[in-house]
Amino acid sequence: MSGSSTRPAERVAFAVIFLVLPICFFAFVVRPTRVTLEALDARIEAADAQIRDLPNFQPLSVEERKVLLDPTAPWRQRLPIVSGDREKLAHYDRVVSLLQRTWGRHGVNIVGVRSSWDPIQASFTLPGALPPPLGAAGVSGPGELKAWVLEARISGGADRLFIGLEHLPAVQPMLEPVGLRWESTPEHRQQSLWLRNLVLEPLPQSAPGDAP
């Protein structure tokens, strides 16, 4: 009698385990997760579509090209002539000191610096020879256009990056932002701006027998 009386209870328990619990798991766990993932996928697809609609680069306008090619443009007067390791080191010290001083006045603290005189080349990199040649009236001197890149690590929150960008034009000689590094975890945060500085290297001297 006792065995037969427990069978209905066992059947109910098995029914709950094999039928009701999976249905509840699907309804309260799987389905909400699937809805969330589908919404996330839709947002990703919308963002991808928006990115595809944007041009990869913005071509130079006629006015911008005129400024680049103008031999008397003010930006050319901001290009220092750097020759040899000693002048490179002095120029490096000057640029870093000016950057540190300018940013420090606005609460942007540099906690580390590294640089390379063989910078990354990109689609927006200016060509080495801009016609008419550098050295015309009103510029700092004749020379070949070169560039070096500087990575400045910044302490504080991400807002410090944007404050640094805002006050970058005040630094002399000019520094142009070309990259950004930002990493953040509960244990670690690192953020850096990559800046490029244009300089002139003296043109090689012609030998006495060379043609003019």
Side-chain angles (χ1 to χ4, degrees), residues 44-120:
I44 293 174
E45 290 179 2
D48 288 342
Q50 185 179 7
I51 292 174
R52 284 194 296 268
D53 293 338
L54 295 175
N56 291 330
F57 64 93
Q58 184 67 35
L60 290 175
S61 66
V62 175
E63 294 301 320
E64 288 173 331
R65 188 171 295 278
K66 285 182 180 179
V67 173
L68 282 177
L69 300 181
D70 181 8
T72 61
W75 70 270
R76 296 195 180 216
Q77 301 178 22
R78 302 171 65 181
L79 300 181
I81 299 178
V82 177
S83 174
D85 293 339
R86 180 178 297 181
E87 291 187 9
K88 282 183 178 181
L89 182 59
H91 177 71
Y92 175 89
D93 179 71
R94 175 171 174 263
V95 171
V96 172
S97 298
L98 289 173
L99 179 65
Q100 209 163 17
R101 192 180 312 148
T102 302
W103 277 359
R105 289 197 296 264
H106 303 282
V108 180
N109 298 319
I110 299 177
V111 295
V113 171
R114 61 179 180 174
S115 64
S116 171
W117 287 86
D118 185 22
I120 300 170

